[in-house]
Amino acid sequence: MKQILIATHGKMASGIRYTAELIVGKMAEITTIDAYVTPEDNVEKKFEEYFAQHENDRIFVFTDLMGGSVNQKLLGYSQKENVTLITGTNLPVLMQIMMADDDVTEEEIQEFIDDAREELQVVNLGGGKKAASKDSIAENNGTIAENAAQESTKKSAPASKKAPAPQSYDNSTAKITALRVDDRLIHGQVAMTWTKQLAVQGIVVANDEAANDNTQKMALKMAVPGGIKSLIKPVDEAIRILNNPKASQMRILVLTRTVKDALKIRKNVGEIGFLNVGNTGRFDGIDVSEKLVLTPTIMLTDAEQQALKELVAIDPKACMQQVPNDEQKLVKDVLDKLN
């Protein structure tokens, strides 16, 4: 069985675990050792007890500094065949190991580390030399194919000019892999977990505000994992693109910020394999006292409640789930309990 040990000076170990599990989901096989927090800490004894307990498991050990005392004390254990020691720990490589299979190879781990190094960058949205590397990344991410949807949208249309409203898609034959309501759109949970869980090839963000804000668009594209194409469009234009026959040939995750937008897409797209309400209603400026709080991350106004009821009527399998490791709850079951 795969086991992960995070051992660092101070409380970095427990902190990075908390952050990783917030994004990936809680995992029982992670142990943290915050070394030298108190003068009485016997780090050597903690390590000895840990490895004795897990001598038959596959162990991945993460430490903070190559030359640090914590790493030095673990070098001996790293000679065991079942132990891999990784130092200079950062969040991306830790999450990759958390989501990897038990039989992950040393070569794959090195790829995770190489990819994680790319995450260390100066972020500059203002242009110039410092922004060049991220500009290149955004360009390389591409779109869901201005190629796949050329007949449906014009690349050269000014951002401020709204696309004409679609006609009717009552007989839509489009097939989309997944639709998720998430008020942060593309972020860690989406980039690191849902794209892998759903084997996504492309992401379509359907949001009017983000589509017409160049800063938001750049920030969202920065969060797109390598190898996955992305497209950020107003809702009506996204619907038109999703209904292009070529879009059905890709595994696409569609993201909306509100249930209302998700309902509009669901009404106009023939088939959606997985419909998920993750996070919504937290950042719209409306006081929480005026909302129905279904979970700490799902807060609905009256209009959004009605939209959710309509959404469930169309798709009874719609579920509530932040990350794949969380329990999956049907939205209709949660709503029924409120009535």
Side-chain angles (χ1 to χ4, degrees):
M1 179 179 176
K2 180 177 70 177
Q3 294 289 334
I4 294 174
L5 170 64
I6 310 172
T8 69
H9 298 78
K11 297 183 179 180
M12 176 181 173
S14 56
I16 198 170
R17 173 181 180 170
Y18 176 84
T19 301
E21 290 187 333
L22 187 67
I23 297 171
V24 177
K26 292 191 176 182
M27 296 185 174
E29 67 268 19
I30 299 179
T31 300
T32 59
I33 295 179
D34 294 325
Y36 311 121
V37 175
T38 68
E40 296 79 22
D41 274 351
N42 189 334
V43 178
E44 291 90 342
K45 184 177 180 181
K46 290 180 180 178
F47 291 158
E48 183 180 339
E49 292 174 348
Y50 176 84
F51 286 100
Q53 181 181 353
H54 297 291
E55 60 182 5
N56 296 319
D57 293 322
R58 178 73 170 95
I59 303 173
F60 298 90
V61 183
F62 290 87
T63 66
D64 48 1
L65 293 171
M66 180 66 177
S69 59
V70 175
N71 193 70
Q72 291 179 32
K73 293 180 188 304
L74 288 162
L75 285 174
Y77 295 102
S78 70
Q79 303 305 307
K80 297 177 179 289
E81 288 190 6
N82 65 321
V83 178
T84 298
L85 176 60
I86 302 166
T87 194
T89 299
N90 71 0
L91 190 59
V93 71
L94 172 61
M95 291 192 296
Q96 290 278 23
I97 297 294
M98 288 170 67
M99 294 184 292
D101 295 331
D102 290 5
D103 59 354
V104 60
T105 66
E106 297 283 342
E107 290 75 18
E108 289 172 322
I109 294 171
Q110 188 58 54
E111 289 181 11
F112 296 159
I113 292 172
D114 292 341
D115 290 342
R117 287 195 180 107
E118 296 297 320
E119 296 291 323
L120 184 63
Q121 302 201 30
V122 174
V123 178
N124 187 321
L125 300 181
K129 291 183 179 179
K130 290 197 291 185
S133 60
K134 273 303 181 183
D135 288 341
S136 299
I137 289 173
E139 185 176 324
N140 290 338
N141 278 337
T143 64
I144 297 280
E146 305 282 8
N147 296 332
Q150 284 177 18
E151 307 101 49
S152 301
T153 184
K154 294 182 178 179
K155 286 168 59 177
S156 58
S160 60
K161 185 177 180 180
K162 290 188 176 181
Q167 299 303 310
S168 172
Y169 294 105
D170 290 344
N171 298 313
S172 170
T173 58
K175 295 181 180 180
I176 304 304
T177 301
L179 169 62
R180 174 176 168 89
V181 181
D182 196 316
D183 49 20
R184 288 179 289 178
L185 299 174
I186 307 174
H187 62 107
Q189 289 175 350
V190 170
M192 293 300 298
T193 61
W194 286 112
T195 56
K196 297 180 186 300
Q197 176 74 14
L198 299 167
V200 166
Q201 297 169 298
I203 295 174
V204 172
V205 172
N207 182 264
D208 295 352
E209 179 186 358
N212 291 294
D213 184 321
N214 287 333
T215 299
Q216 280 195 60
K217 287 174 71 173
M218 176 63 77
L220 290 171
K221 283 183 176 291
M222 285 182 175
V224 178
I228 295 179
K229 298 182 183 298
S230 63
L231 191 63
I232 302 168
K233 293 292 182 181
V235 177
D236 288 343
E237 192 170 347
I239 290 170
R240 190 164 56 253
I241 291 168
L242 294 172
N243 275 281
N244 186 287
K246 293 184 179 180
S248 294
Q249 299 172 14
M250 294 181 67
R251 291 188 61 82
I252 295 174
L253 168 62
V254 184
L255 298 169
T256 69
R257 187 165 276 161
T258 67
V259 177
K260 182 180 177 182
D261 286 346
L263 175 62
K264 189 171 188 179
I265 289 173
R266 186 64 192 85
K267 284 181 174 179
N268 291 286
V269 173
E271 182 179 327
I272 295 177
F274 177 68
L275 204 163
N276 171 231
V277 181
N279 312 287
T280 189
R282 297 172 298 171
F283 313 121
D284 55 11
I286 300 174
D287 193 276
V288 68
S289 63
E290 300 179 33
K291 297 179 180 181
L292 171 66
V293 179
L294 291 185
T295 74
T297 65
I298 300 175
M299 307 174 184
L300 307 173
T301 62
D302 290 344
E304 285 283 277
Q305 290 177 52
Q306 183 57 41
L308 187 60
K309 291 176 182 177
E310 291 183 47
L311 190 62
V312 170
I314 297 172
D315 194 335
K317 293 184 179 179
C319 70
M320 294 165 51
Q321 192 177 24
Q322 278 200 56
V323 294
N325 286 339
D326 288 348
E327 178 186 1
Q328 189 178 109
K329 298 179 180 179
L330 291 179
V331 176
K332 67 180 183 64
D333 290 345
V334 176
L335 293 178
D336 286 345
K337 290 179 180 179
L338 297 175
N339 294 331

